[in-house]
Amino acid sequence: MAEIARFVLLPVLFLAGLAAYLPFAPLIAALRGLALVVQVLAGYGRTLVGVVYRRTPEFRTLPPYRPQDEAVKAYRNYFFGPASRDLRQLLTLEGRAYATTVGDAFRAVTSRQFVAPARHRAFTVPYGLTLYLGLCAGAAAVLPLLGLLLVVHALVLALLTAGARLLAAALRAVDRSVLWMKRLRTGMLCPHCFERVPYPAYDCPGPTCRRRHADIRPGTYGIFRRRCECGQRMPTLLMLMGRDGRLQAYCVHPHCGKPMNTDAGHMPEVVIPLIGGQAAGKTQLMAAMLLSLEHAAANGGPAITLADEESDANYQVLREVLRMRGHTRATQKTLPRAHSFVLGGGRSRRLVHLFDTAGERFVDREDTDALRYARAARTFVFVLDPMAVKAFWTTMEPPPGPLLDRTLGSTVDPEEVFARSVQAVAAMGAPLRRSRLAVAISKTDLLAEHGLVPAALEDGDGARTWLREALGLRSLVRAMDLNFREVRFFRTAAVADEEAGVDGSVTGFVEWCLRG
C-alpha cells in the first residue's frame, strides 16, 4: 500500500497540483519580470540623482573638473565639460548596476528555490523555474527602456549644450557689438603701455581672493556669471557690470599687466596727446584744461570725474600750482601715464585720456617711437612756445619796463619737435589726414605782462598770420596744413585765479578739442 501511495498517488497529486499551478505561472513570471524592470529603473533614477546632484564618491568614476587643475582658476559651466562627463559616468554606473541587479535576482532565486529551499523541492523547483522565466523576460524587457532613457538623456544634453554654447556665442557677439557702438573696435587703451586691449583681465571681487581672470566673457567658465575657485561669482559681460559693481580691469599684455581705468570698455574713449618741446607749457596747459572742464561742470556743463586715484592726485597738485601761479616741475622722461577722466553723463559719457609727455622725447627718434598712444588719437594738441622761436627775440620790440626772462621759454625749436613727432606718429600708422590739430600758443599770460601780445592772437586766423609773418614759421604752418585734416590756432594762458577760474582763452580751446 505504501508503494501505491508513493509511486502512484503522490505523482498523480503532484501532476494535478502542477496542472492547477500552470495557469498562474505566466502571471507569476510576468509579475517577477515587472518587479525586476521597476527595480532596474528605480536604480537608474537613484544613479542619475547621485551622478548629477549628490556627486558623492560612490557615484564618481571619472576625475572631476577642479578649478585648481584649470588654466583659469574657475569652475566650468555645466554644459562645457561636466555634463558630458556625467553622461559617461551614468553609462558606466548604470551598466554596472544592471549587471549587479539582474545577477543578484538570479542568485537569490537559485539560493532560495534550488540550493537551500525552505520547502520541498517538488514545490520550489517549478516556482523557481517560473521566476527564472520572469527574470529573463524582465532583464530583456528593461534593456530597451534603459537604452531609451539614456538616448533621451543624451539628446536633451546635446540640445542644452548646443543651446548653452549658442547663447554664449550670442552674448559675446552682443558684447562685441556694444563695443563697436562705443567705437572700441580694436579694444580699450591701456593708460600705461598704450596698447589696445581686446578685453581686459579682471581680479576676483572676493575680499580675500587675488586670482586674476584673463577672459571673463561667456564661455567655458560661465555664461552670465563666472564662479571663481574661491566661490565668488562675477559677471561675464561688461553690460552686466553696474556703475557700483564694476571690477578692476587689468592690461592683458605680458609686458604690462597694470591696472586700467575702471570705466574702460563702458563708454567711448578719446585720446588727446599734448606734443611740444621741453618747458613749452604742456603740463600747465593740461591742468588748465581739466580746471576749465571742472569750472564748466560747476556752472551746468558736462560733468567731469577723474577716472582713477592717480589722475585725481596729480590733478589736485597741478590745480593748486595753477591757483598759486607757480611753475610745475618738468615732466619725467619715463613713458607717461594718461591723465584720465570721465566727461558727460548718461549715454554721452566719454573716457578721455590726456597724455603729457616729456619734451625730451620729441627730440630723440628712439624716444618718439615709444609713444604708441598716438595711434589711437584723432585730435592732437601741439603746444607752441613763442619764446622758443629765435625770430621772437630778434623781431619783437619790447615796451619799456622789465625785460622778459629768456629762461622761462623752451629751448627746443618747435619746427624740429613737430617734424620728428609727425614722422614718428605717421610711422605708427596713425591716420593724420583724418585727424585734427589744435595749435596752442602758450605762455601768452607772460607775454601780456610785458605788452608782447598782439591783437591778432585773439582769433585763429590772426594767430596763424602772426606765426607765419611775425615769427617766420611759414614752413611749420604749411607742414601742419599738409599733414592734418583740420588745423586751428589758439592763444592760451594756463593760469587760474583765486576762485580756480581759468583764463577764458582755455575754454574755447578745450571745447574745440573735445568737439564731436
Side-chain angles (χ1 to χ4, degrees):
M1 191 65 183
E3 287 78 4
I4 294 174
R6 181 178 182 183
F7 294 105
V8 176
L9 293 178
L10 288 178
V12 170
L13 291 174
F14 175 76
L15 292 175
L18 185 61
Y21 168 75
L22 287 178
F24 297 97
L27 178 60
I28 295 172
L31 291 174
R32 186 63 187 94
L34 179 60
L36 179 64
V37 170
V38 172
Q39 184 180 3
V40 172
L41 294 180
Y44 172 82
R46 288 192 298 271
T47 304
L48 178 62
V49 172
V51 169
V52 176
Y53 177 71
R54 293 176 60 188
R55 301 185 180 278
T56 48
E58 64 268 23
F59 296 104
R60 188 179 299 154
T61 63
L62 296 173
Y65 289 100
R66 303 185 306 172
Q68 55 266 39
D69 299 330
E70 300 283 341
V72 177
K73 304 306 178 185
Y75 289 89
R76 282 182 177 241
N77 179 270
Y78 183 70
F79 297 106
F80 286 79
S84 60
R85 168 184 169 271
D86 284 350
L87 178 59
R88 295 196 302 272
Q89 290 189 129
L90 184 61
L91 287 171
T92 301
L93 291 173
E94 191 52 37
R96 295 175 184 175
Y98 172 80
T100 300
T101 302
V102 173
D104 288 346
F106 273 98
R107 281 189 290 273
V109 170
T110 302
S111 175
R112 295 172 184 174
Q113 309 302 329
F114 295 96
V115 177
R119 295 177 179 83
H120 196 280
R121 285 188 174 82
F123 298 101
T124 61
V125 169
Y127 184 66
L129 292 175
T130 303
L131 295 180
Y132 272 158
L133 179 62
L135 290 174
C136 290
V142 79
L143 282 175
L145 295 177
L146 279 178
L148 179 61
L149 288 173
L150 290 170
V151 168
V152 170
H153 183 105
L155 288 176
V156 171
L157 178 60
L159 290 174
L160 292 177
T161 299
R165 292 174 184 261
L166 286 174
L167 178 60
L171 290 174
R172 291 172 76 105
V174 170
D175 194 56
R176 175 54 59 186
S177 299
V178 171
L179 291 178
W180 274 59
M181 292 172 61
K182 295 174 180 176
R183 300 192 294 274
L184 299 173
R185 297 176 180 83
T186 58
M188 297 133 251
L189 182 71
C190 174
H192 296 278
C193 70
F194 321 131
E195 296 287 356
R196 284 291 184 179
V197 179
Y199 218 86
Y202 292 93
D203 274 355
C204 173
T208 60
C209 183
R210 292 296 179 267
R211 296 174 181 86
R212 185 165 298 176
H213 298 258
D215 189 352
I216 65 169
R217 286 176 292 180
T220 302
Y221 301 100
I223 297 179
F224 293 101
R225 298 283 174 182
R226 169 178 292 196
R227 189 156 66 104
C228 179
E229 183 180 358
C230 69
Q232 179 70 36
R233 295 185 180 274
M234 52 197 300
T236 59
L237 295 167
L238 288 170
M239 67 180 87
L240 296 179
M241 298 182 193
R243 178 69 183 173
D244 298 327
R246 292 180 181 173
L247 305 178
Q248 176 59 60
Y250 289 87
C251 179
V252 297
H253 293 287
H255 61 276
C256 182
K258 295 180 180 178
M260 298 173 61
N261 302 113
T262 306
D263 295 298
H266 296 277
M267 59 194 71
E269 295 184 356
V270 178
V271 176
I272 302 180
L274 277 70
I275 301 173
Q278 184 180 11
K282 301 184 301 300
T283 303
Q284 285 184 293
L285 179 60
M286 182 191 67
M289 293 171 68
L290 292 173
L291 193 58
S292 172
L293 290 171
E294 184 183 47
H295 189 70
N299 289 278
I304 178 174
T305 306
L306 275 299
D308 51 76
E309 294 181 358
E310 186 174 345
S311 294
D312 184 63
N314 291 336
Y315 170 61
Q316 295 305 327
V317 173
L318 294 174
R319 184 174 183 270
E320 189 64 20
V321 170
L322 280 185
R323 191 184 66 81
M324 296 186 304
R325 291 179 175 261
H327 296 286
T328 59
R329 66 186 181 91
T331 305
Q332 300 301 304
K333 191 179 179 182
T334 55
L335 283 175
R337 187 199 184 281
H339 297 265
S340 306
F341 59 90
V342 176
L343 183 65
R347 295 182 178 274
S348 64
R349 287 184 304 159
R350 290 171 288 171
L351 178 60
V352 183
H353 303 286
L354 296 180
F355 284 94
D356 171 28
T357 305
E360 298 93 323
R361 282 194 170 270
F362 297 109
V363 178
D364 191 337
R365 171 61 187 272
E366 294 181 357
D367 289 334
T368 55
D369 285 345
L371 308 181
R372 297 179 295 274
Y373 57 82
R375 292 179 298 190
R378 296 299 176 267
T379 299
F380 293 80
V381 174
F382 184 75
V383 182
L384 194 156
D385 181 4
M387 292 187 288
V389 182
K390 293 180 180 179
F392 174 83
W393 300 101
T394 58
T395 60
M396 301 296 291
E397 296 183 2
L403 295 178
L404 184 62
D405 188 356
R406 283 176 174 263
T407 61
L408 297 178
S410 174
T411 59
V412 184
D413 184 6
E415 292 192 66
E416 180 184 1
V417 173
F418 182 81
R420 290 185 179 275
S421 302
V422 167
Q423 185 179 7
V425 172
M428 295 174 193
L432 295 181
R433 291 298 303 166
R434 300 199 304 271
S435 301
R436 303 183 306 152
L437 176 67
V439 181
I441 302 174
S442 64
K443 303 180 182 178
T444 57
D445 55 309
L446 291 176
L447 303 185
E449 292 176 359
H450 293 79
L452 297 176
V453 177
L457 287 183
E458 296 302 324
D459 65 87
D461 291 337
R464 176 192 290 266
T465 302
W466 183 70
L467 292 176
R468 287 169 52 90
E469 305 301 333
L471 299 188
L473 298 177
R474 295 182 183 84
S475 59
L476 176 60
V477 174
R478 184 166 55 253
M480 292 175 176
D481 291 330
L482 289 174
N483 284 282
F484 289 88
R485 172 176 60 87
E486 182 180 0
V487 182
R488 182 76 177 268
F489 296 83
F490 297 89
R491 176 187 72 84
T492 61
V495 292
D497 55 28
E498 291 295 330
E499 287 73 30
V502 295
D503 189 86
S505 61
V506 178
T507 303
F509 165 72
V510 172
E511 290 177 353
W512 189 87
C513 289
L514 295 174
R515 188 181 66 194

